[in-house]
Amino acid sequence: MKKKTLYMSRIIRVFEAEKGALSTNEIYDMLLSQRSHNGRPYSKSPGKMTLTQILSKCPEFKKVGHRSRTKNGNRERIGVWKLAEEGSP
């Protein structure tokens, strides 16, 4: 449970820095490049599956759609997320 809250605060910081909707891959890349208060990179970050589970299960985040892309002949659907507004269901 502690990791979940640590990751959530880092994810919220990503959204606050970017001010808009972000794909799961964009959020993941920004988490990997985040630095702690003393300038060091974080030693742990959530994997893409863990990140997707946090985004989908926490009411602080809202899915606003998806983006499609083709990679090696396979179509991928990537979720697009934003911070939920205060008081919205």
Side-chain angles (χ1 to χ4, degrees):
M1 190 67 162
K2 184 178 178 183
K3 281 186 181 180
K4 182 178 172 184
T5 56
L6 171 68
Y7 293 154
M8 280 181 49
S9 63
R10 289 181 55 201
I11 295 166
I12 290 171
R13 282 194 321 198
V14 167
F15 279 107
E16 289 172 348
E18 291 299 315
K19 305 283 189 214
L22 298 168
S23 72
T24 306
N25 288 348
E26 291 170 335
I27 298 166
Y28 179 74
D29 290 339
M30 289 177 197
L31 285 174
L32 291 178
S33 65
Q34 268 185 348
R35 301 209 174 258
S36 64
H37 66 282
N38 61 2
R40 292 182 176 170
Y42 283 99
S43 60
K44 294 195 181 267
S45 290
K48 284 188 184 179
M49 292 297 285
T50 304
L51 175 61
T52 303
Q53 289 174 351
I54 292 170
L55 291 168
S56 64
K57 291 183 180 185
C58 294
E60 290 88 352
F61 311 108
K62 181 179 178 184
K63 188 170 187 176
V64 293
H66 66 273
R67 295 180 188 159
S68 296
R69 74 175 188 182
T70 304
K71 184 176 180 181
N72 297 331
N74 298 317
R75 187 172 153 228
E76 278 186 339
R77 290 179 63 186
I78 302 166
V80 178
W81 307 86
K82 70 175 191 171
L83 280 176
E85 290 87 22
E86 289 292 320
S88 66

